[in-house]
Structure formats: C-alpha cells, structure tokens
Amino acid sequence: MSLFVLPKWLRPGTDLMSKAIIHDSKIMNIITTTLSNTQNDYLVGNPEWNNGTRSDVVLEAKSSVLNLPPIIIEIQHTVNRLFMKRVINYSLEAFNRHKLDPIVLIICTDTLSDSVAKDVKTSDIPACYEFPSTGWACNCLIVCKRRVLEYTDTMPLNPFIALTLFLTSRELTKNCSLYPDDPTIQYMYTLASHLHQNRLGDQNITDILAQVLDTQDHEHTKILELIDQNSSPKTVAKAIKNLQSQNYAMKRKYTDVNLGPSSIPTSISTAIATATTTAAAAAVADPTISENIDVTLESVTPYERGMIFVENFKHTRMQKGFKRMDWSACYSKGIELNLFKYKSADVLRNQFNKYINNNKKNCQ
C-alpha cells in the first residue's frame, strides 16, 4: 500500500494541482471525449482574455478546420452568482476570439450556493448539472461532489467520474480515496506524485543550476557594462540575443530527455527563461535603450511571460534607486514588446497583484 501523502498546498482541487492534472494529454482526452466526443483534437490554449481577465484552463481545437468549440475549465471553491457572472464574461471573450460559443466546465470543490443550485438541472453528461447558458455558451456544466457520487456504483469508474471525484474529494493520499484501486484514480495520484517531485527538484539539480546561474551572472554583467557605457541599442540587443541562444542550447541539453511529459522537471528551463527576461528588462528599463528587444520565453505561458517582465522591470527600477514603480512606463514598454494586451496600466497593475498573491498562496 502506497504511503505517499501530498502536501496541503498540492491538495487535489487547488488551482496548481488541478491545472497540472488537466494539462496532461491523457486527462485532456478524458475531458474532450466526454464533452465533445473527440480525442487528440485539442491543445491547451491561452487562458488570458483581451479584457485582462483570465480563466483557469482553456482547451482549443488544434485546427480551426475541426470547428470544435473551445472548452473553458474553471476550478472553483465556491460557485455563486458573482462567480457565474465572471464565467459569462469569459465565455463572451472566448466567442470574440474563436467565433464559436464555448463549452464551460465548472468543477466546484466545496460549495454550490443555493442561488446557483436553484437554476440548475440534471445533465445527460455524467456527474454534471447544467446551468442555463442560452446566448453565451454551448453548454455550462457544473460538477460537485454530491452529483459525482451518484455515478460511482460501477467499477472500474468511468474515467471522467474518476477525474471529477479526484478533484472534488480533495484527498491527500490515494489510500484515503473512496476507490484507491481504480486505474484512473491511481494514474492521477501518480501524476500528482510527479508534480510534487518536480517541485522539489531543486534538491536534485543543485549542481546543474549553480553552473547555469554562474554563466547567467557573467553574461548579465557584460550586458550591464554595455548599458553603462551607453552602447548603441543594436549592440545591447545583439548581446541579449547571444545570451538567448546560449539559454536555448542549455534548455535543449537538459529538457531533451527520454521522459514522459509528466516526469520532466521544469525547474531548470523556467530558471533559465526567467534569467533571460532579467537581462531584457535591464535594458528596457534604461531610457537610452529604445529598440524593441525580442523577449523569447518558450517554457512559460504568455500570461506568465508578461508577469515575469513586470516583476523584473520593477526590480530593475529598485536597483537603480527608484522607490516607486512606474506602471505607465512598464505598460507602454510591455505593449511595445507585445507582451500583453491590457487596456490600461491600472489593469496591468491589478493583474500583477493577483499574480503575486496567487504565488504566495501556492507557497503556503
């Protein structure tokens, strides 16, 4: 019997764990098979919407020729009227992007409020209630634990039932699960174990990471010297691109390993990508540098890329002795570099604050 126990911050049903599980190709196929009767036709899309809001997970068709609706997945502790208004907003944004009404799947991990429950009806899709969605979505499906338990009388469990049970039961160990011998439940706890190991991967890659950071520090020093010498924008941009090429080679070296997608450590590639942005942000923050700098971060999402840019922009200003963040300058430069599409500097500031708060929660 397995003795592995997840830490509370990686409990099933938390944002971090849920997103990691859903991004797995096998789990993704379980969802798309159930909701749109197709496999291997979806990929993880950009969850950030043009109005500055952000969904938990968005699946979109690999090709527009398939004419498949986007799938918006929200993992929510309490589903109430206010949350449903947010979901409607996400759906309208999805229509603006894809010109198709989305399918919405809401996984309620704790409380389905009476104000929402009174409007739902049972769905033909197992474990789901259906919320009225005429005019804004193909379907709006809500999963909660009491509904899931109505479908647990057959073994092995339907894979979609197993997935929703895993997320809504929120058990820290497979042995506490209602169905520890179910193959899909076992698979998800294996994924969870790999995620936990990857999060602890710093203990196993200390030497490699130290080497990478030493190299980065040396190259950053060279770039800062060029800036201090008032070198031309082209010279600085060339130095940064050379550093990016080194980063790409290093990333290939340590990620082209014969491992399954759930087992590949992300710590090294993310650290390298962040270091690249640090160099770019240092140049951006200097008023003598006006040329657009190509910030390439293949290992993070577009949303994370923008937030890392803001974080380093802010840090660089502090290093230069500025006590206050210049959100207008940061916003303008980010727009110029095509790192985000927020409507204003105020929206950018709010998104960054949410990003910082979410990171703090994940570390608690």
Side-chain angles (χ1 to χ4, degrees), residues 26-39 42 71 103 105 123-128 139 141 143 158-164:
K26 182 175 179 178
I27 301 302
M28 200 185 309
N29 275 333
I30 289 173
I31 295 171
T32 60
T33 299
T34 303
L35 302 188
S36 61
N37 196 31
T38 184
Q39 289 192 27
Y42 278 86
I71 300 174
I103 297 172
L105 175 64
S123 171
D124 292 336
I125 296 176
C128 294
N139 253 333
L141 304 167
V143 172
N158 173 305
F160 184 74
I161 300 300
L163 169 62
T164 54

Side-chain angles (χ1 to χ4, degrees), residues 205-217:
I205 62 171
T206 302
D207 292 340
I208 296 173
L209 191 54
Q211 178 186 353
V212 171
L213 293 177
D214 285 344
T215 302
Q216 295 290 318
D217 184 62

Side-chain angles (χ1 to χ4, degrees), residues 274 277 297 300 304-313 355:
T274 303
T277 312
L297 299 173
V300 297
E304 291 169 329
R305 182 184 303 128
M307 294 301 99
I308 291 170
F309 166 81
V310 174
E311 194 167 7
N312 286 312
F313 188 101
Y355 169 79

